[in-house]
Amino acid sequence: MNGGLLVAGTTSDAGKSVVTAGICRWLVRQGVKVAPFKAQNMSLNSFVTREGAEIGRAQAMQAQACRVEPTALMNPVLLKPGGEQSSQVVLLGKPVGEMSARGYHGGRQQRLLGTVLDCLAELRGTYDAVICEGAGSPAEINLRRTDIVNMGIARGARLPVLVVGDIDRGGVFASFYGTLALLSPEDQELVAGFLVNKFRGDVSLLEPGLDMLRGLTGRDTYGVLPFQHGLGIDEEDGLRVSLRGTVRESTVAPPVGEDVLRVAVCAVPLMSNFTDVDALAAEPGVIVRFVDRPEELADADLVVVPGTRGTVRALAWLRERGLADALARRAAEGRPVLGICGGFQLLGERIEDEVESRAGTVEGLGLLPVRVRFAREKTLTRPTGEALGEPVEGYEIHHGVAQVLGGEAFLDGCRVGQVWGTHWHGSLESDGFRRAFLREVAAATGRRFVPAPDTSFAALREEQLDRLGDLIEQHADTDALWRLIESGAPRGLPFIPPGAPA
């Protein structure tokens, strides 16, 4: 078997990442050696592979669904927005510069098509099947000429295409038909059919519409996936559901101790890797919420200042909203604050930035004895160590180099009183360390909170991926899906006018 499939969507957030992960987990349970692929990803949630390459977190989680180690081949192009008009371009895991949207789509993107096709070919030479994820919609006709992630990659690699639509938003039949009808005849020949996502209710009521859709397009619907809470994996952008959603949208186990712990996460601009707090939300009795006003910190037992692609911008935002003063009061009162990556940097004394914001020297919040200088070369590592008497591992993605001038050592950063700072993303996924840290928070706040002794974040993640595999196995036409992956799009699929504009 040397199969492949492109999972496209009628819109962004139609469920492409989830469906891709579900198909990957279903296939690996059938004994298929499978890998994920996304040619181009725009995301502030990223991950570091073992070889020190930066890729989107969604692809790292899809690799886990495949039970393989993630590599840069699985996400050769990563765009990390730095504002409304520009992004850092990460190519094969390494940053190669900042570029405006006009500059990227004006020529650079199209020149990368050969690179992404080479990466896909290498994966297909190693694995039995490669399940590719598209981006946005394949019918974004203004971008089709330079597309390397939807029909561009499908045409280049002769991949069959499955279009996913979110019926919970409404208008799914129009979205399916319109998506197909705005593609060129050459693109349409690869669109094999559709997959309905997030359906609520009795499927029999939907079947007449599916029959009509087949009559109109000549294409089958490969499954109707029911709406289920908390099925998202690590998302690409925005404050959307990840594993945190599984906990918050389902019946949460009661706390082991007498009290809960409340965690407030400052929703800073260009927030990156907000998935760091998922491991906190996975703990019974820990309530996590995202905040943007100082009064929302009042009843929090722990405040987390997360990573950000714009440290200086986030610092200004905290000051403008009064959150900087609220954090300073917390520190003076001995109430816990945790800064991660960019959040750690802005808690320091001073930031020298001629790279990210080019703002020069900026005074930090002064809550930690740390000075930060931004380097042009990005740190991309997978460190391991020990803290609070427990083993810890994480990953680092940052331009800022921290000079720690005092305090108590804490991972790569420091601690002063109840203010903690580190560059390490993912450290809270280490179960023993997370429990020890929460015990420190409970002691500092006087809460009678006790971490559950048996919460395994890795096991929860595996359960979630198995649920995605179950969703495909139980609600998709897996025989037809198998044929599609193995043999490609059916021949003789009809053209639906008007097609793409000339």
Side-chain angles (χ1 to χ4, degrees):
M1 183 179 184
N2 184 18
L5 175 69
L6 176 70
V7 178
T10 56
T11 62
S12 295
D13 202 31
K16 296 183 293 292
S17 296
V18 166
V19 169
T20 301
I23 293 173
C24 286
R25 178 49 62 102
W26 163 66
L27 283 172
V28 81
R29 294 195 308 208
Q30 308 308 308
V32 178
K33 187 179 179 185
V34 60
F37 179 79
K38 185 162 186 174
Q40 173 192 292
N41 200 344
M42 178 171 280
S43 177
L44 287 173
N45 281 339
S46 59
F47 182 75
V48 179
T49 67
R50 293 206 179 278
E51 69 267 29
E54 184 179 8
I55 66 172
R57 274 196 67 96
Q59 279 61 64
M61 286 292 286
Q62 288 163 357
Q64 186 171 352
C66 297
R67 297 180 179 142
V68 298
E69 192 67 34
T71 72
L73 293 173
M74 297 172 183
N75 179 207
V77 181
L78 174 64
L79 304 178
K80 302 194 73 176
E84 295 298 324
Q85 298 293 330
S86 67
S87 294
Q88 182 181 67
V89 180
V90 179
L91 180 62
L92 293 173
K94 303 296 180 184
V96 294
E98 297 279 335
M99 188 166 287
S100 69
R102 179 177 292 274
Y104 183 69
H105 290 288
R108 177 65 183 269
Q109 182 184 36
Q110 194 172 24
R111 292 196 296 272
L112 293 174
L113 180 59
T115 300
V116 300
L117 285 172
D118 287 345
C119 291
L120 177 56
E122 188 170 342
L123 287 174
R124 295 185 79 179
T126 305
Y127 292 89
D128 299 329
V130 178
I131 307 303
C132 308
E133 180 188 342
S137 162
E140 290 167 351
I141 53 180
N142 56 315
L143 302 177
R144 176 62 185 93
R145 181 178 62 83
T146 58
D147 170 50
I148 65 170
V149 65
N150 289 306
M151 300 314 298
I153 196 78
R155 286 266 293 278
R158 302 306 298 171
L159 292 171
V161 178
L162 187 67
V163 180
V164 178
D166 179 357
I167 197 170
D168 196 51
R169 295 182 174 188
V172 76
F173 293 116
S175 298
F176 282 146
Y177 188 90
T179 296
L180 185 63
L182 282 176
L183 300 179
S184 69
E186 295 82 4
D187 285 351
Q188 285 194 27
E189 342 181 300
L190 295 172
V191 178
F194 313 106
L195 186 76
V196 176
N197 192 29
K198 300 183 184 178
F199 179 71
R200 304 174 191 251
D202 185 346
V203 176
S204 66
L205 298 177
L206 190 65
E207 287 171 352
L210 301 179
D211 291 339
M212 285 185 272
L213 182 66
R214 191 186 193 293
L216 288 166
T217 67
R219 289 158 173 86
D220 291 327
T221 296
Y222 283 71
V224 178
L225 308 185
F227 188 102
Q228 292 187 18
H229 288 291
L231 282 180
I233 59 173
D234 293 15
E235 295 288 351
E236 293 180 352
D237 50 30
L239 255 181
R240 298 196 181 120
V241 178
S242 54
L243 183 60
R244 158 173 51 87
T246 304
V247 178
R248 296 176 77 188
E249 296 178 7
S250 60
T251 302
V252 180
V256 175
E258 297 179 44
D259 288 339
V260 299
L261 282 184
R262 293 175 173 82
V263 179
V265 184
C266 296
V268 296
L270 298 175
M271 181 165 45
S272 61
N273 288 63
F274 59 81
T275 47
D276 281 332
V277 300
D278 285 357
L280 293 177
E283 284 285 345
V286 175
I287 301 168
V288 176
R289 66 183 189 274
F290 289 80
V291 304
D292 59 5
R293 298 191 300 270
E295 57 269 25
E296 293 178 296
L297 306 189
D299 67 343
D301 301 302
L302 168 67
V303 173
V304 177
V305 188
T308 170
R309 172 84 164 85
T311 303
V312 170
R313 178 176 168 182
L315 183 57
W317 181 87
L318 289 169
R319 285 178 167 139
E320 289 165 4
R321 290 180 169 260
L323 285 160
D325 290 338
L327 290 170
R329 287 194 296 272
R330 286 188 68 89
E333 295 165 1
R335 302 175 66 200
V337 175
L338 171 65
I340 302 173
C341 200
F344 162 46
Q345 295 168 4
L346 60 81
L347 293 178
E349 298 172 354
R350 188 175 69 200
I351 298 169
E352 297 178 27
D353 182 11
E354 299 293 347
V355 175
E356 190 175 79
S357 68
R358 297 182 176 85
T361 300
V362 178
E363 295 301 310
L365 297 186
L367 304 184
L368 290 174
V370 174
R371 294 179 182 177
V372 176
R373 177 184 56 81
F374 273 67
R376 297 202 175 275
E377 185 174 345
K378 183 183 282 191
T379 297
L380 296 168
T381 63
R382 291 273 293 269
T384 60
E386 184 177 299
L388 304 179
E390 298 286 347
V392 196
E393 59 183 57
Y395 57 99
E396 295 185 47
I397 306 170
H398 54 92
H399 284 280
V401 178
Q403 180 186 13
V404 179
L405 302 173
E408 180 183 342
F410 175 64
L411 301 176
D412 71 316
C414 66
R415 167 191 183 181
V416 173
Q418 289 300 321
V419 180
W420 317 62
T422 177
H423 277 126
W424 289 24
H425 294 290
S427 63
L428 294 167
E429 295 178 20
S430 298
D431 296 327
F433 166 72
R434 181 181 65 253
R435 293 180 195 121
F437 178 70
L438 290 175
R439 282 193 289 269
E440 291 267 350
V441 171
T445 55
R447 297 288 186 192
R448 290 170 295 183
F449 170 85
V450 179
D454 55 355
T455 300
S456 168
F457 186 76
L460 288 172
R461 181 179 278 167
E462 275 296 303
E463 288 174 13
Q464 185 185 33
L465 292 171
D466 276 331
R467 290 177 66 204
L468 297 181
D470 293 342
L471 200 65
I472 297 298
E473 190 168 331
Q474 296 167 12
H475 300 283
D477 184 343
T478 52
D479 289 340
L481 197 56
W482 186 280
R483 289 193 298 272
L484 187 62
I485 294 167
E486 192 172 35
S487 305
R491 295 185 181 276
L493 293 170
F495 169 69
I496 305 303

